[in-house]
Amino acid sequence: MSENISSDTQEIQELNEILRIRREKLRDLQDKGRDPFCIVRYDVTHKTKEIIDSFEELDGKTVSIAGRIMAKRGMGKTSFCDIQDRDGKIQLFVRINELGEEAYEEFKKLDIGDIIGVSGTVFKTRMGEISVKVHEYTLLSKSLRPLPEKFHGLKDTDIRYRQRYLDLIVNPEVKKTFILRSRIISAIRSFLDSRGFLEVETPILNLIPGGANARPFITYHNTLDLDMYLRIAPELYLKRLIVGGMEKVYEIGRMFRNEGMSIKHNPEFTLLEVYEAYTDYHGMMKLTEDLYVHIADTVLGTRKFEYQGHEIDLNLPWPRMTMTEAVKKYTGIDFDTIASDEEALALAKEKGLETDGLATKGEILNLFFEEFVEANLIQPTFIMDYPVEVSPLTKRKPDKPELTERFELFITGREMANAYSELNDPIDQKERFLAQVRKREQGDEEANMMDEDYVIALEHGLPPTGGLGVGIDRLVMLFTNSFSIRDVLLFPTMKPKE
């Protein structure tokens, strides 16, 4: 223990010395009238990757680049350093002959982490490395703290998530993940826009948290003097727009669910919801397939890729199974032969499943699916026809009214999309809301509240409509081979450090 304390004390002392020296360097620059924090702009002509990719065209030409110093190597009157911008790194070749003695000595005092602008000539060294021969440089920002683990990268996941800026600086693969995330969202928008969908925005502050079974965050509106909820889904607002005749709409936005945290869940997350009039859940299946394939083709350039040891194949067609068929396939139990709620509950207890709060055959069928089936669905698979008890906003199947026209897409054992033939019968919808209210009264904090205004909207007429929801974070996890949802959120929710 004493050795660890001694080691920690030494590290703190070393850090304090580094901080002192760097601040002294800053004060020295300020005393000389060269305060880097007074510089307001620097004209950049090229990015590092552009120089490397277009070397034949740029060889011998003068460029201006800017970025962060990531490494320095001094050799008397010649120095090398690596400068990093958003797109990559490039080597700088610095000589006293080009800069002059005073400027060269100042250059040698620069620290790793400093941000500089450089003007110089593109060339290739004798070792064959594409570089920029520096003619002049400008210190644009002084780094007063050292970068972590200079030679080994930042590995501490707690620091990585809390101080994402450090993670982005020292771990290039992390920056690549978030660049891909941006491109994935752009691909989604271009796909939907090209099919005539309108992107819209709906309220984040809700009087009634609807559209999903989830515990909401509660806030307070001072002017209106009432409690409000951060939205858990935009569904009921988007369907109001379909009632209003907008026909094809979508929204990409932040949702807030006051629930547990895991590698698959974050209380604040990004959701895509899509609604299209005059189609059903089969139309949404086709749209989902086309969307995923478009992302793969546009962003990855392939429909086959690895995710955590599995090769995922997005080539069509994707298998379709009803929930009943899936449970029968993986457990041997055919719920079509189970005659009553009591028989289903007895079967669940026989299998050792926790059934608190569950009372119907449909709820037990869903429980069997979650416990015994989900983890097996590695390749893209549509699971269809969910029980009405777990689908309060979904149209019933005409031939099996105990089931609904709903599907979920599973990939890597995880739900990746959820879609319905939307319930447009206002009388049935009100009855289902009332059933959800009874669940809330019995202590289920995730059950829906009654939304009278939404029922009134349905009474004006909602055309047959298909709706789709896709969790953007899980989608990005899939396409970037990321293990945890925190790896695809720039600033994941974290408990504050004491």
Side-chain angles (χ1 to χ4, degrees), residues 405-450:
E405 293 197 344
R406 173 185 175 188
F407 76 78
E408 289 185 325
L409 168 66
F410 287 85
I411 309 175
T412 70
R414 295 173 180 169
E415 176 207 332
M416 301 297 292
N418 185 19
Y420 315 149
S421 296
E422 299 296 336
L423 178 60
N424 62 345
D425 179 343
I427 298 171
D428 188 359
Q429 180 65 81
K430 186 166 186 175
E431 290 174 352
R432 293 201 219 174
F433 273 146
L434 289 171
Q436 291 287 304
V437 169
R438 288 191 289 272
K439 283 189 173 185
R440 289 188 70 84
E441 291 170 348
Q442 294 166 6
D444 185 350
E445 296 181 3
E446 296 186 356
N448 285 199
M449 296 181 183
M450 171 59 73

mmCIF file of all heavy atoms in Angstrom, residues 405-450:
data_model
loop_
_atom_site.group_PDB
_atom_site.id
_atom_site.type_symbol
_atom_site.label_atom_id
_atom_site.label_comp_id
_atom_site.label_asym_id
_atom_site.label_seq_id
_atom_site.Cartn_x
_atom_site.Cartn_y
_atom_site.Cartn_z
ATOM 1 N N GLU A 405 -50.047 -6.599 -35.711
ATOM 2 C CA GLU A 405 -49.198 -6.472 -36.899
ATOM 3 C C GLU A 405 -47.962 -5.638 -36.537
ATOM 4 O O GLU A 405 -47.860 -4.453 -36.866
ATOM 5 C CB GLU A 405 -49.992 -5.851 -38.054
ATOM 6 C CG GLU A 405 -51.096 -6.756 -38.567
ATOM 7 C CD GLU A 405 -51.610 -6.356 -39.932
ATOM 8 O OE1 GLU A 405 -51.339 -5.215 -40.366
ATOM 9 O OE2 GLU A 405 -52.275 -7.188 -40.577
ATOM 10 N N ARG A 406 -47.062 -6.288 -35.854
ATOM 11 C CA ARG A 406 -45.845 -5.647 -35.363
ATOM 12 C C ARG A 406 -44.659 -6.552 -35.659
ATOM 13 O O ARG A 406 -44.776 -7.778 -35.602
ATOM 14 C CB ARG A 406 -45.944 -5.408 -33.856
ATOM 15 C CG ARG A 406 -44.666 -4.905 -33.203
ATOM 16 C CD ARG A 406 -44.826 -4.828 -31.689
ATOM 17 N NE ARG A 406 -43.577 -4.471 -31.031
ATOM 18 C CZ ARG A 406 -43.402 -4.483 -29.713
ATOM 19 N NH1 ARG A 406 -44.408 -4.832 -28.913
ATOM 20 N NH2 ARG A 406 -42.236 -4.152 -29.186
ATOM 21 N N PHE A 407 -43.513 -5.943 -35.988
ATOM 22 C CA PHE A 407 -42.280 -6.722 -36.080
ATOM 23 C C PHE A 407 -41.161 -5.994 -35.365
ATOM 24 O O PHE A 407 -41.199 -4.766 -35.179
ATOM 25 C CB PHE A 407 -41.881 -7.000 -37.539
ATOM 26 C CG PHE A 407 -41.271 -5.824 -38.264
ATOM 27 C CD1 PHE A 407 -39.947 -5.439 -38.065
ATOM 28 C CD2 PHE A 407 -42.014 -5.102 -39.189
ATOM 29 C CE1 PHE A 407 -39.385 -4.359 -38.743
ATOM 30 C CE2 PHE A 407 -41.468 -4.024 -39.869
ATOM 31 C CZ PHE A 407 -40.146 -3.653 -39.638
ATOM 32 N N GLU A 408 -40.167 -6.757 -34.968
ATOM 33 C CA GLU A 408 -38.895 -6.212 -34.526
ATOM 34 C C GLU A 408 -37.800 -6.878 -35.336
ATOM 35 O O GLU A 408 -37.884 -8.082 -35.643
ATOM 36 C CB GLU A 408 -38.663 -6.434 -33.025
ATOM 37 C CG GLU A 408 -39.551 -5.585 -32.145
ATOM 38 C CD GLU A 408 -39.237 -5.725 -30.670
ATOM 39 O OE1 GLU A 408 -38.876 -6.828 -30.226
ATOM 40 O OE2 GLU A 408 -39.362 -4.716 -29.948
ATOM 41 N N LEU A 409 -36.799 -6.103 -35.697
ATOM 42 C CA LEU A 409 -35.624 -6.638 -36.383
ATOM 43 C C LEU A 409 -34.560 -6.943 -35.336
ATOM 44 O O LEU A 409 -34.257 -6.108 -34.492
ATOM 45 C CB LEU A 409 -35.083 -5.625 -37.393
ATOM 46 C CG LEU A 409 -33.701 -5.930 -37.987
ATOM 47 C CD1 LEU A 409 -33.734 -7.193 -38.846
ATOM 48 C CD2 LEU A 409 -33.182 -4.741 -38.790
ATOM 49 N N PHE A 410 -33.990 -8.145 -35.420
ATOM 50 C CA PHE A 410 -32.901 -8.529 -34.525
ATOM 51 C C PHE A 410 -31.642 -8.807 -35.335
ATOM 52 O O PHE A 410 -31.677 -9.471 -36.376
ATOM 53 C CB PHE A 410 -33.283 -9.761 -33.704
ATOM 54 C CG PHE A 410 -34.281 -9.461 -32.625
ATOM 55 C CD1 PHE A 410 -35.638 -9.441 -32.901
ATOM 56 C CD2 PHE A 410 -33.858 -9.173 -31.335
ATOM 57 C CE1 PHE A 410 -36.560 -9.136 -31.916
ATOM 58 C CE2 PHE A 410 -34.772 -8.856 -30.347
ATOM 59 C CZ PHE A 410 -36.126 -8.843 -30.634
ATOM 60 N N ILE A 411 -30.531 -8.265 -34.855
ATOM 61 C CA ILE A 411 -29.199 -8.564 -35.393
ATOM 62 C C ILE A 411 -28.264 -8.634 -34.194
ATOM 63 O O ILE A 411 -28.354 -7.814 -33.279
ATOM 64 C CB ILE A 411 -28.700 -7.489 -36.389
ATOM 65 C CG1 ILE A 411 -29.727 -7.197 -37.476
ATOM 66 C CG2 ILE A 411 -27.378 -7.919 -37.025
ATOM 67 C CD1 ILE A 411 -29.339 -6.065 -38.428
ATOM 68 N N THR A 412 -27.378 -9.603 -34.185
ATOM 69 C CA THR A 412 -26.431 -9.828 -33.079
ATOM 70 C C THR A 412 -27.157 -10.038 -31.753
ATOM 71 O O THR A 412 -26.657 -9.690 -30.689
ATOM 72 C CB THR A 412 -25.400 -8.684 -32.933
ATOM 73 O OG1 THR A 412 -26.039 -7.492 -32.446
ATOM 74 C CG2 THR A 412 -24.707 -8.402 -34.254
ATOM 75 N N GLY A 413 -28.341 -10.620 -31.799
ATOM 76 C CA GLY A 413 -29.092 -10.885 -30.583
ATOM 77 C C GLY A 413 -29.726 -9.666 -29.969
ATOM 78 O O GLY A 413 -30.215 -9.722 -28.831
ATOM 79 N N ARG A 414 -29.768 -8.542 -30.693
ATOM 80 C CA ARG A 414 -30.307 -7.300 -30.162
ATOM 81 C C ARG A 414 -31.408 -6.767 -31.058
ATOM 82 O O ARG A 414 -31.341 -6.890 -32.282
ATOM 83 C CB ARG A 414 -29.210 -6.231 -30.056
ATOM 84 C CG ARG A 414 -28.120 -6.571 -29.070
ATOM 85 C CD ARG A 414 -26.994 -5.561 -29.162
ATOM 86 N NE ARG A 414 -25.923 -5.878 -28.211
ATOM 87 C CZ ARG A 414 -24.729 -5.307 -28.213
ATOM 88 N NH1 ARG A 414 -24.446 -4.404 -29.126
ATOM 89 N NH2 ARG A 414 -23.830 -5.643 -27.319
ATOM 90 N N GLU A 415 -32.390 -6.140 -30.424
ATOM 91 C CA GLU A 415 -33.424 -5.455 -31.187
ATOM 92 C C GLU A 415 -32.814 -4.262 -31.902
ATOM 93 O O GLU A 415 -32.180 -3.417 -31.290
ATOM 94 C CB GLU A 415 -34.538 -4.969 -30.259
ATOM 95 C CG GLU A 415 -35.603 -4.161 -30.971
ATOM 96 C CD GLU A 415 -36.302 -3.171 -30.053
ATOM 97 O OE1 GLU A 415 -36.380 -3.431 -28.835
ATOM 98 O OE2 GLU A 415 -36.741 -2.118 -30.565
ATOM 99 N N MET A 416 -33.001 -4.186 -33.223
ATOM 100 C CA MET A 416 -32.418 -3.116 -34.030
ATOM 101 C C MET A 416 -33.469 -2.223 -34.692
ATOM 102 O O MET A 416 -33.138 -1.159 -35.213
ATOM 103 C CB MET A 416 -31.521 -3.709 -35.113
ATOM 104 C CG MET A 416 -30.366 -4.553 -34.580
ATOM 105 S SD MET A 416 -29.193 -3.628 -33.580
ATOM 106 C CE MET A 416 -28.457 -2.567 -34.803
ATOM 107 N N ALA A 417 -34.724 -2.668 -34.683
ATOM 108 C CA ALA A 417 -35.806 -1.853 -35.240
ATOM 109 C C ALA A 417 -37.120 -2.393 -34.712
ATOM 110 O O ALA A 417 -37.235 -3.583 -34.380
ATOM 111 C CB ALA A 417 -35.790 -1.877 -36.768
ATOM 112 N N ASN A 418 -38.117 -1.522 -34.651
ATOM 113 C CA ASN A 418 -39.435 -1.881 -34.130
ATOM 114 C C ASN A 418 -40.458 -1.183 -35.015
ATOM 115 O O ASN A 418 -40.328 0.022 -35.273
ATOM 116 C CB ASN A 418 -39.551 -1.415 -32.672
ATOM 117 C CG ASN A 418 -40.843 -1.850 -32.012
ATOM 118 O OD1 ASN A 418 -41.502 -2.769 -32.466
ATOM 119 N ND2 ASN A 418 -41.215 -1.166 -30.940
ATOM 120 N N ALA A 419 -41.446 -1.926 -35.511
ATOM 121 C CA ALA A 419 -42.385 -1.323 -36.465
ATOM 122 C C ALA A 419 -43.775 -1.916 -36.304
ATOM 123 O O ALA A 419 -43.931 -3.055 -35.852
ATOM 124 C CB ALA A 419 -41.890 -1.519 -37.894
ATOM 125 N N TYR A 420 -44.778 -1.115 -36.699
ATOM 126 C CA TYR A 420 -46.178 -1.520 -36.567
ATOM 127 C C TYR A 420 -46.953 -1.220 -37.852
ATOM 128 O O TYR A 420 -46.597 -0.327 -38.614
ATOM 129 C CB TYR A 420 -46.923 -0.726 -35.479
ATOM 130 C CG TYR A 420 -46.278 -0.507 -34.162
ATOM 131 C CD1 TYR A 420 -46.573 0.660 -33.446
ATOM 132 C CD2 TYR A 420 -45.431 -1.447 -33.585
ATOM 133 C CE1 TYR A 420 -46.034 0.893 -32.197
ATOM 134 C CE2 TYR A 420 -44.871 -1.224 -32.337
ATOM 135 C CZ TYR A 420 -45.166 -0.052 -31.646
ATOM 136 O OH TYR A 420 -44.625 0.187 -30.410
ATOM 137 N N SER A 421 -48.062 -1.919 -37.986
ATOM 138 C CA SER A 421 -49.219 -1.354 -38.662
ATOM 139 C C SER A 421 -49.930 -0.565 -37.572
ATOM 140 O O SER A 421 -50.411 -1.133 -36.587
ATOM 141 C CB SER A 421 -50.142 -2.449 -39.207
ATOM 142 O OG SER A 421 -49.501 -3.200 -40.204
ATOM 143 N N GLU A 422 -49.944 0.750 -37.719
ATOM 144 C CA GLU A 422 -50.369 1.606 -36.607
ATOM 145 C C GLU A 422 -51.864 1.454 -36.314
ATOM 146 O O GLU A 422 -52.689 1.405 -37.224
ATOM 147 C CB GLU A 422 -50.055 3.070 -36.929
ATOM 148 C CG GLU A 422 -48.583 3.359 -37.148
ATOM 149 C CD GLU A 422 -47.734 3.124 -35.901
ATOM 150 O OE1 GLU A 422 -48.289 3.182 -34.773
ATOM 151 O OE2 GLU A 422 -46.524 2.897 -36.063
ATOM 152 N N LEU A 423 -52.182 1.384 -35.030
ATOM 153 C CA LEU A 423 -53.576 1.327 -34.599
ATOM 154 C C LEU A 423 -54.253 2.648 -34.939
ATOM 155 O O LEU A 423 -53.822 3.712 -34.488
ATOM 156 C CB LEU A 423 -53.639 1.070 -33.088
ATOM 157 C CG LEU A 423 -55.026 1.034 -32.453
ATOM 158 C CD1 LEU A 423 -55.872 -0.071 -33.075
ATOM 159 C CD2 LEU A 423 -54.923 0.854 -30.943
ATOM 160 N N ASN A 424 -55.308 2.586 -35.733
ATOM 161 C CA ASN A 424 -56.012 3.820 -36.106
ATOM 162 C C ASN A 424 -57.475 3.789 -35.678
ATOM 163 O O ASN A 424 -58.251 4.681 -36.044
ATOM 164 C CB ASN A 424 -55.895 4.104 -37.605
ATOM 165 C CG ASN A 424 -56.515 3.021 -38.468
ATOM 166 O OD1 ASN A 424 -56.806 1.924 -38.000
ATOM 167 N ND2 ASN A 424 -56.705 3.327 -39.751
ATOM 168 N N ASP A 425 -57.883 2.801 -34.896
ATOM 169 C CA ASP A 425 -59.233 2.714 -34.344
ATOM 170 C C ASP A 425 -59.252 3.473 -33.013
ATOM 171 O O ASP A 425 -58.686 3.008 -32.024
ATOM 172 C CB ASP A 425 -59.605 1.251 -34.134
ATOM 173 C CG ASP A 425 -60.996 1.062 -33.545
ATOM 174 O OD1 ASP A 425 -61.555 2.043 -32.990
ATOM 175 O OD2 ASP A 425 -61.518 -0.059 -33.601
ATOM 176 N N PRO A 426 -59.887 4.654 -32.949
ATOM 177 C CA PRO A 426 -59.826 5.447 -31.720
ATOM 178 C C PRO A 426 -60.504 4.770 -30.531
ATOM 179 O O PRO A 426 -60.097 4.972 -29.382
ATOM 180 C CB PRO A 426 -60.533 6.755 -32.095
ATOM 181 C CG PRO A 426 -61.361 6.428 -33.292
ATOM 182 C CD PRO A 426 -60.645 5.333 -34.015
ATOM 183 N N ILE A 427 -61.530 3.960 -30.788
ATOM 184 C CA ILE A 427 -62.228 3.281 -29.688
ATOM 185 C C ILE A 427 -61.329 2.217 -29.077
ATOM 186 O O ILE A 427 -61.164 2.134 -27.847
ATOM 187 C CB ILE A 427 -63.554 2.672 -30.203
ATOM 188 C CG1 ILE A 427 -64.477 3.791 -30.712
ATOM 189 C CG2 ILE A 427 -64.231 1.860 -29.099
ATOM 190 C CD1 ILE A 427 -65.705 3.293 -31.440
ATOM 191 N N ASP A 428 -60.701 1.402 -29.938
ATOM 192 C CA ASP A 428 -59.764 0.388 -29.464
ATOM 193 C C ASP A 428 -58.576 1.053 -28.763
ATOM 194 O O ASP A 428 -58.118 0.603 -27.705
ATOM 195 C CB ASP A 428 -59.287 -0.458 -30.649
ATOM 196 C CG ASP A 428 -58.466 -1.665 -30.234
ATOM 197 O OD1 ASP A 428 -58.236 -1.864 -29.018
ATOM 198 O OD2 ASP A 428 -58.027 -2.427 -31.116
ATOM 199 N N GLN A 429 -58.066 2.164 -29.338
ATOM 200 C CA GLN A 429 -56.921 2.846 -28.744
ATOM 201 C C GLN A 429 -57.246 3.344 -27.338
ATOM 202 O O GLN A 429 -56.429 3.212 -26.416
ATOM 203 C CB GLN A 429 -56.486 4.017 -29.627
ATOM 204 C CG GLN A 429 -55.288 4.788 -29.096
ATOM 205 C CD GLN A 429 -54.019 3.956 -29.072
ATOM 206 O OE1 GLN A 429 -53.355 3.808 -30.076
ATOM 207 N NE2 GLN A 429 -53.684 3.406 -27.911
ATOM 208 N N LYS A 430 -58.433 3.908 -27.152
ATOM 209 C CA LYS A 430 -58.797 4.407 -25.820
ATOM 210 C C LYS A 430 -58.877 3.261 -24.823
ATOM 211 O O LYS A 430 -58.417 3.390 -23.673
ATOM 212 C CB LYS A 430 -60.127 5.159 -25.881
ATOM 213 C CG LYS A 430 -60.484 5.819 -24.555
ATOM 214 C CD LYS A 430 -61.599 6.829 -24.715
ATOM 215 C CE LYS A 430 -61.816 7.578 -23.383
ATOM 216 N NZ LYS A 430 -62.820 8.655 -23.518
ATOM 217 N N GLU A 431 -59.419 2.134 -25.249
ATOM 218 C CA GLU A 431 -59.503 0.977 -24.350
ATOM 219 C C GLU A 431 -58.107 0.491 -23.951
ATOM 220 O O GLU A 431 -57.863 0.128 -22.797
ATOM 221 C CB GLU A 431 -60.290 -0.145 -25.027
ATOM 222 C CG GLU A 431 -61.775 0.161 -25.171
ATOM 223 C CD GLU A 431 -62.505 -0.899 -25.980
ATOM 224 O OE1 GLU A 431 -61.819 -1.789 -26.552
ATOM 225 O OE2 GLU A 431 -63.758 -0.834 -26.057
ATOM 226 N N ARG A 432 -57.177 0.520 -24.902
ATOM 227 C CA ARG A 432 -55.816 0.071 -24.583
ATOM 228 C C ARG A 432 -55.099 1.063 -23.668
ATOM 229 O O ARG A 432 -54.332 0.673 -22.800
ATOM 230 C CB ARG A 432 -55.027 -0.166 -25.866
ATOM 231 C CG ARG A 432 -55.566 -1.332 -26.672
ATOM 232 C CD ARG A 432 -54.534 -1.868 -27.602
ATOM 233 N NE ARG A 432 -55.110 -2.244 -28.875
ATOM 234 C CZ ARG A 432 -54.412 -2.649 -29.928
ATOM 235 N NH1 ARG A 432 -53.090 -2.691 -29.856
ATOM 236 N NH2 ARG A 432 -54.999 -2.985 -31.054
ATOM 237 N N PHE A 433 -55.345 2.356 -23.886
ATOM 238 C CA PHE A 433 -54.796 3.348 -22.960
ATOM 239 C C PHE A 433 -55.319 3.096 -21.546
ATOM 240 O O PHE A 433 -54.569 3.171 -20.559
ATOM 241 C CB PHE A 433 -55.174 4.765 -23.399
ATOM 242 C CG PHE A 433 -54.235 5.388 -24.394
ATOM 243 C CD1 PHE A 433 -54.701 6.251 -25.374
ATOM 244 C CD2 PHE A 433 -52.867 5.151 -24.344
ATOM 245 C CE1 PHE A 433 -53.843 6.849 -26.288
ATOM 246 C CE2 PHE A 433 -51.995 5.741 -25.258
ATOM 247 C CZ PHE A 433 -52.494 6.587 -26.229
ATOM 248 N N LEU A 434 -56.618 2.807 -21.430
ATOM 249 C CA LEU A 434 -57.204 2.558 -20.115
ATOM 250 C C LEU A 434 -56.578 1.325 -19.464
ATOM 251 O O LEU A 434 -56.342 1.307 -18.243
ATOM 252 C CB LEU A 434 -58.723 2.389 -20.241
ATOM 253 C CG LEU A 434 -59.498 3.675 -20.574
ATOM 254 C CD1 LEU A 434 -60.953 3.352 -20.883
ATOM 255 C CD2 LEU A 434 -59.407 4.677 -19.431
ATOM 256 N N ALA A 435 -56.281 0.305 -20.279
ATOM 257 C CA ALA A 435 -55.609 -0.877 -19.735
ATOM 258 C C ALA A 435 -54.220 -0.520 -19.233
ATOM 259 O O ALA A 435 -53.759 -1.039 -18.197
ATOM 260 C CB ALA A 435 -55.528 -1.967 -20.806
ATOM 261 N N GLN A 436 -53.535 0.369 -19.959
ATOM 262 C CA GLN A 436 -52.209 0.823 -19.518
ATOM 263 C C GLN A 436 -52.313 1.644 -18.225
ATOM 264 O O GLN A 436 -51.471 1.531 -17.331
ATOM 265 C CB GLN A 436 -51.559 1.667 -20.619
ATOM 266 C CG GLN A 436 -51.157 0.888 -21.853
ATOM 267 C CD GLN A 436 -49.926 0.025 -21.613
ATOM 268 O OE1 GLN A 436 -48.882 0.523 -21.215
ATOM 269 N NE2 GLN A 436 -50.054 -1.272 -21.836
ATOM 270 N N VAL A 437 -53.372 2.469 -18.127
ATOM 271 C CA VAL A 437 -53.575 3.266 -16.911
ATOM 272 C C VAL A 437 -53.759 2.343 -15.706
ATOM 273 O O VAL A 437 -53.229 2.609 -14.613
ATOM 274 C CB VAL A 437 -54.788 4.203 -17.080
ATOM 275 C CG1 VAL A 437 -55.177 4.836 -15.744
ATOM 276 C CG2 VAL A 437 -54.471 5.291 -18.104
ATOM 277 N N ARG A 438 -54.500 1.258 -15.888
ATOM 278 C CA ARG A 438 -54.693 0.305 -14.784
ATOM 279 C C ARG A 438 -53.365 -0.301 -14.365
ATOM 280 O O ARG A 438 -53.117 -0.520 -13.173
ATOM 281 C CB ARG A 438 -55.697 -0.773 -15.194
ATOM 282 C CG ARG A 438 -57.134 -0.271 -15.264
ATOM 283 C CD ARG A 438 -58.127 -1.394 -15.399
ATOM 284 N NE ARG A 438 -58.072 -2.022 -16.707
ATOM 285 C CZ ARG A 438 -58.776 -1.605 -17.770
ATOM 286 N NH1 ARG A 438 -59.576 -0.544 -17.666
ATOM 287 N NH2 ARG A 438 -58.688 -2.237 -18.924
ATOM 288 N N LYS A 439 -52.475 -0.552 -15.338
ATOM 289 C CA LYS A 439 -51.149 -1.071 -14.999
ATOM 290 C C LYS A 439 -50.361 -0.056 -14.176
ATOM 291 O O LYS A 439 -49.665 -0.420 -13.225
ATOM 292 C CB LYS A 439 -50.371 -1.421 -16.276
ATOM 293 C CG LYS A 439 -50.786 -2.718 -16.935
ATOM 294 C CD LYS A 439 -49.807 -3.072 -18.053
ATOM 295 C CE LYS A 439 -50.099 -4.452 -18.609
ATOM 296 N NZ LYS A 439 -49.089 -4.861 -19.610
ATOM 297 N N ARG A 440 -50.479 1.229 -14.544
ATOM 298 C CA ARG A 440 -49.787 2.268 -13.773
ATOM 299 C C ARG A 440 -50.317 2.323 -12.346
ATOM 300 O O ARG A 440 -49.556 2.495 -11.378
ATOM 301 C CB ARG A 440 -49.945 3.640 -14.441
ATOM 302 C CG ARG A 440 -49.177 3.823 -15.734
ATOM 303 C CD ARG A 440 -49.227 5.271 -16.215
ATOM 304 N NE ARG A 440 -48.444 6.146 -15.351
ATOM 305 C CZ ARG A 440 -47.128 6.342 -15.460
ATOM 306 N NH1 ARG A 440 -46.442 5.725 -16.407
ATOM 307 N NH2 ARG A 440 -46.519 7.166 -14.641
ATOM 308 N N GLU A 441 -51.621 2.194 -12.221
ATOM 309 C CA GLU A 441 -52.227 2.226 -10.888
ATOM 310 C C GLU A 441 -51.775 1.050 -10.030
ATOM 311 O O GLU A 441 -51.770 1.138 -8.802
ATOM 312 C CB GLU A 441 -53.757 2.236 -11.017
ATOM 313 C CG GLU A 441 -54.302 3.542 -11.602
ATOM 314 C CD GLU A 441 -55.777 3.462 -11.941
ATOM 315 O OE1 GLU A 441 -56.321 2.333 -11.940
ATOM 316 O OE2 GLU A 441 -56.382 4.524 -12.221
ATOM 317 N N GLN A 442 -51.377 -0.030 -10.705
ATOM 318 C CA GLN A 442 -50.873 -1.200 -9.981
ATOM 319 C C GLN A 442 -49.363 -1.134 -9.744
ATOM 320 O O GLN A 442 -48.768 -2.097 -9.257
ATOM 321 C CB GLN A 442 -51.237 -2.470 -10.764
ATOM 322 C CG GLN A 442 -52.736 -2.728 -10.837
ATOM 323 C CD GLN A 442 -53.105 -3.767 -11.881
ATOM 324 O OE1 GLN A 442 -52.240 -4.390 -12.495
ATOM 325 N NE2 GLN A 442 -54.406 -3.961 -12.087
ATOM 326 N N GLY A 443 -48.736 0.001 -10.130
ATOM 327 C CA GLY A 443 -47.322 0.202 -9.827
ATOM 328 C C GLY A 443 -46.371 0.106 -11.000
ATOM 329 O O GLY A 443 -45.159 0.229 -10.813
ATOM 330 N N ASP A 444 -46.881 -0.114 -12.227
ATOM 331 C CA ASP A 444 -46.006 -0.195 -13.400
ATOM 332 C C ASP A 444 -45.689 1.218 -13.885
ATOM 333 O O ASP A 444 -46.505 1.860 -14.561
ATOM 334 C CB ASP A 444 -46.688 -0.999 -14.510
ATOM 335 C CG ASP A 444 -45.771 -1.233 -15.715
ATOM 336 O OD1 ASP A 444 -44.685 -0.613 -15.773
ATOM 337 O OD2 ASP A 444 -46.139 -2.037 -16.592
ATOM 338 N N GLU A 445 -44.486 1.734 -13.553
ATOM 339 C CA GLU A 445 -44.119 3.105 -13.896
ATOM 340 C C GLU A 445 -43.813 3.279 -15.374
ATOM 341 O O GLU A 445 -43.670 4.410 -15.848
ATOM 342 C CB GLU A 445 -42.905 3.539 -13.066
ATOM 343 C CG GLU A 445 -43.173 3.602 -11.573
ATOM 344 C CD GLU A 445 -41.956 4.060 -10.799
ATOM 345 O OE1 GLU A 445 -40.928 4.387 -11.433
ATOM 346 O OE2 GLU A 445 -42.017 4.094 -9.557
ATOM 347 N N GLU A 446 -43.694 2.170 -16.118
ATOM 348 C CA GLU A 446 -43.381 2.265 -17.542
ATOM 349 C C GLU A 446 -44.620 2.206 -18.429
ATOM 350 O O GLU A 446 -44.528 2.387 -19.636
ATOM 351 C CB GLU A 446 -42.413 1.144 -17.938
ATOM 352 C CG GLU A 446 -41.049 1.242 -17.254
ATOM 353 C CD GLU A 446 -40.071 0.210 -17.769
ATOM 354 O OE1 GLU A 446 -40.480 -0.633 -18.597
ATOM 355 O OE2 GLU A 446 -38.906 0.246 -17.361
ATOM 356 N N ALA A 447 -45.788 1.934 -17.840
ATOM 357 C CA ALA A 447 -47.017 1.841 -18.631
ATOM 358 C C ALA A 447 -47.408 3.216 -19.165
ATOM 359 O O ALA A 447 -47.075 4.253 -18.594
ATOM 360 C CB ALA A 447 -48.140 1.262 -17.782
ATOM 361 N N ASN A 448 -48.137 3.206 -20.298
ATOM 362 C CA ASN A 448 -48.579 4.460 -20.915
ATOM 363 C C ASN A 448 -49.594 5.195 -20.048
ATOM 364 O O ASN A 448 -50.348 4.578 -19.294
ATOM 365 C CB ASN A 448 -49.227 4.174 -22.269
ATOM 366 C CG ASN A 448 -48.230 3.828 -23.375
ATOM 367 O OD1 ASN A 448 -48.550 3.911 -24.537
ATOM 368 N ND2 ASN A 448 -47.027 3.415 -23.018
ATOM 369 N N MET A 449 -49.608 6.526 -20.186
ATOM 370 C CA MET A 449 -50.660 7.337 -19.595
ATOM 371 C C MET A 449 -51.775 7.523 -20.625
ATOM 372 O O MET A 449 -51.587 7.306 -21.817
ATOM 373 C CB MET A 449 -50.113 8.708 -19.193
ATOM 374 C CG MET A 449 -49.057 8.674 -18.099
ATOM 375 S SD MET A 449 -48.510 10.368 -17.697
ATOM 376 C CE MET A 449 -47.236 10.012 -16.482
ATOM 377 N N MET A 450 -52.923 7.943 -20.141
ATOM 378 C CA MET A 450 -54.012 8.283 -21.055
ATOM 379 C C MET A 450 -53.680 9.582 -21.791
ATOM 380 O O MET A 450 -53.272 10.568 -21.178
ATOM 381 C CB MET A 450 -55.317 8.443 -20.277
ATOM 382 C CG MET A 450 -56.472 9.000 -21.081
ATOM 383 S SD MET A 450 -56.906 7.980 -22.515
ATOM 384 C CE MET A 450 -57.678 6.592 -21.690
#
